[in-house]
Amino acid sequence: MKLAVTLMILIATLLGVAIDGYHCKVVQFIFGDSLSDTGNNRYLSRSLANANLPWYGIDFGNGLPNGRFTNGRTVADIIGDMTGTPRAPAFMDPSLTEDIILENGVNYASGGAGILNETGGYFIQRLPLYKQIELFQGTQELIRSKIGNQETEKFFQEARYVVALGSNDFINNYLTGVNGDSWNYNDRSFVNYLMETLETQLKILHKLGARQLMVFGLGPMGCIPLQRVLTTDGSCQEKTNKLAISFNQAASKLLDNLSTKLVNASFKFGDAYDVVNDVITNPQKYGFSNSDSPCCTLGRIRPSLTCLPVSSLCKDRSKYVFWDEYHPSDSANELIANELIKKFGFLPDAPSPAPAFGPSSETDG
């Protein structure tokens, strides 16, 4: 009799642990563009926005391409590491299962994506924010079938959410001068259009359970190498930077307003513009030696747009702010992540494991 009772208690305990495991672990759900993509575009066979080439990922894991548009970690990777949240796998990864989602969350970010559906159309395939939200809804149905309605609601309400898009809506849409948004809006009305769209999207996420949500602001995108190389003197595009500032100001107000109006919403906006601008202006102050050109480059053949297997790498990847024409290096991403952690008020749970930078035999780019 005692044995039977003991077995019943043991089974109940194990079941309790299993059930608790579904809703007690805090995971991340990430929505974004190439700055946060951890491999979704690898599985979009026709996408022209793809980082599945050497030398992407050279300072991450086994050094092989993994879908991240940088040499190492993304900002979301680093923030998750420092706050004790698992790294969310790419939604498109065929190995993704309900159990993996419950343990690690999901990353829906897609290179070339924007807040607007029309953004990045010339990349052929990408997952705009509305599509990412649609995929998130499908994820919820999977989890609901696994653990039931009550536990599903709790799981998603306890999760953390990252939304990090916007730069493509300017650089690969409004500023191109070749599509409807370029002709139908001016600077102010286009930012308003973005905010109206983003507000609708964030409200949908709230209805789907998002309570702790972070929106990343835009950096000085007029100073990325791609923008500089298009000027006659290699300087930053001030018009583009002013648009980033306008976006950040409007998004900050939007997040404050939604946090007030939406039930139990803790929506925060993280603006790292000033510190990134200071890094670009005074790179030596932060331990960088180059803040105006990419580490991975074809030299005088610019812009090469992406890092290619035939590209040359800079001698010390940790000293470059930019990895390619568009994207920051791992070292720059770590600096940005630290700034956002301060803005969000997080206390790091553990130090972020920085990659070990191997020496490059290539010439300095």
Side-chain angles (χ1 to χ4, degrees), residues 40-62:
N40 284 306
N41 279 28
R42 296 177 73 185
Y43 303 100
L44 301 179
S45 60
R46 293 184 291 112
S47 179
L48 299 182
N50 206 309
N52 199 28
L53 292 168
W55 305 95
Y56 289 102
I58 188 172
D59 297 305
F60 188 103
N62 59 11

Side-chain angles (χ1 to χ4, degrees), residues 326-345:
Y326 288 96
H327 307 100
S329 65
D330 178 275
S331 297
N333 280 339
E334 183 164 17
L335 186 146
I336 295 167
N338 286 332
E339 181 67 13
L340 290 175
I341 282 172
K342 292 178 188 175
K343 294 288 177 68
F344 291 133

Side-chain angles (χ1 to χ4, degrees), residues 6 15 56 89-90 115 120 129 131 136 162 189-190 202 231 313 325 336 348-349 363:
T6 301
L15 286 173
Y56 289 102
I115 293 168
L129 183 51
K131 181 62 178 180
F136 174 63
V162 171
S189 62
F190 185 69
L202 296 182
T231 65
L313 302 185
E325 299 282 359
I336 295 167
D349 290 346
T363 58

Side-chain angles (χ1 to χ4, degrees), residues 42-361:
R42 296 177 73 185
Y43 303 100
L44 301 179
S45 60
R46 293 184 291 112
S47 179
L48 299 182
N50 206 309
N52 199 28
L53 292 168
W55 305 95
Y56 289 102
I58 188 172
D59 297 305
F60 188 103
N62 59 11
L64 298 176
N66 55 63
R68 288 168 173 81
F69 288 74
T70 183
N71 60 307
R73 303 158 296 170
T74 69
V75 170
D77 282 334
I78 297 166
I79 290 178
D81 292 346
M82 296 188 73
T83 57
T85 309
R87 289 180 180 172
F91 173 83
M92 298 293 290
D93 188 329
S95 67
L96 188 71
T97 64
E98 293 94 329
D99 288 334
I100 291 174
I101 294 169
L102 290 165
E103 283 293 312
N104 300 286
V106 183
N107 185 322
Y108 304 92
S110 172
I115 293 168
L116 306 175
N117 285 338
E118 60 265 31
T119 289
Y122 45 69
F123 292 126
I124 311 301
Q125 277 187 302
R126 73 274 180 236
L127 305 173
L129 183 51
Y130 270 123
K131 181 62 178 180
Q132 294 179 34
I133 293 172
E134 181 184 324
L135 296 176
F136 174 63
Q137 289 178 288
T139 301
Q140 289 197 328
E141 293 306 311
L142 283 175
I143 298 304
R144 185 171 286 109
S145 66
K146 174 86 172 179
I147 63 175
N149 290 332
Q150 185 175 347
E151 297 302 332
T152 295
E153 182 176 346
K154 190 170 184 181
F155 173 71
F156 284 103
Q157 288 190 7
E158 290 179 347
R160 291 177 182 166
Y161 296 80
V162 171
V163 176
L165 303 95
S167 60
N168 284 316
D169 293 294
F170 293 103
I171 294 173
N172 292 309
N173 181 357
Y174 177 66
L175 291 171
T176 62
V178 297
N179 59 24
D181 288 346
S182 303
W183 311 322
N184 296 330
Y185 297 95
N186 59 33
D187 292 358
R188 177 178 294 181
S189 62
F190 185 69
V191 171
N192 289 340
Y193 175 34
L194 286 176
M195 290 304 109
E196 291 167 1
T197 308
L198 182 61
E199 179 177 10
T200 300
Q201 292 163 333
L202 296 182
K203 284 180 176 178
I204 294 172
L205 285 174
H206 180 265
K207 285 183 179 179
L208 294 172
R211 297 296 180 265
Q212 301 179 67
L213 184 144
M214 302 170 283
V215 172
F216 294 176
L218 303 183
M221 57 190 184
C223 295
I224 66 173
L226 176 67
Q227 290 283 297
R228 284 180 180 268
V229 79
L230 299 178
T231 65
T232 56
D233 60 356
S235 60
C236 298
Q237 299 262 16
E238 289 308 316
K239 171 184 170 67
T240 308
N241 283 346
K242 287 178 181 177
L243 286 169
I245 292 171
S246 296
F247 176 94
N248 289 346
Q249 291 172 342
S252 180
K253 291 179 182 177
L254 173 62
L255 270 291
D256 287 344
N257 184 48
L258 290 177
S259 282
T260 301
K261 290 185 176 181
L262 299 179
V263 176
N264 296 327
S266 175
F267 284 13
K268 298 180 179 180
F269 180 75
D271 185 355
Y273 183 98
D274 288 342
V275 71
V276 176
N277 191 57
D278 195 35
V279 171
I280 291 170
T281 306
N282 305 293
Q284 289 78 16
K285 175 180 171 183
Y286 297 87
F288 293 98
S289 62
N290 186 301
S291 63
D292 59 12
S293 56
C295 172
C296 184
T297 179
L298 285 174
R300 294 181 181 179
I301 305 175
R302 292 188 60 200
S304 55
L305 300 184
T306 58
C307 180
L308 300 169
V310 294
S311 299
S312 296
L313 302 185
C314 59
K315 290 180 181 178
D316 188 346
R317 297 184 287 277
S318 69
K319 299 297 183 183
Y320 271 62
V321 173
F322 292 100
W323 166 246
D324 63 12
E325 299 282 359
Y326 288 96
H327 307 100
S329 65
D330 178 275
S331 297
N333 280 339
E334 183 164 17
L335 186 146
I336 295 167
N338 286 332
E339 181 67 13
L340 290 175
I341 282 172
K342 292 178 188 175
K343 294 288 177 68
F344 291 133
F346 291 144
L347 293 176
D349 290 346
S352 180
F357 288 95
S360 171
S361 59

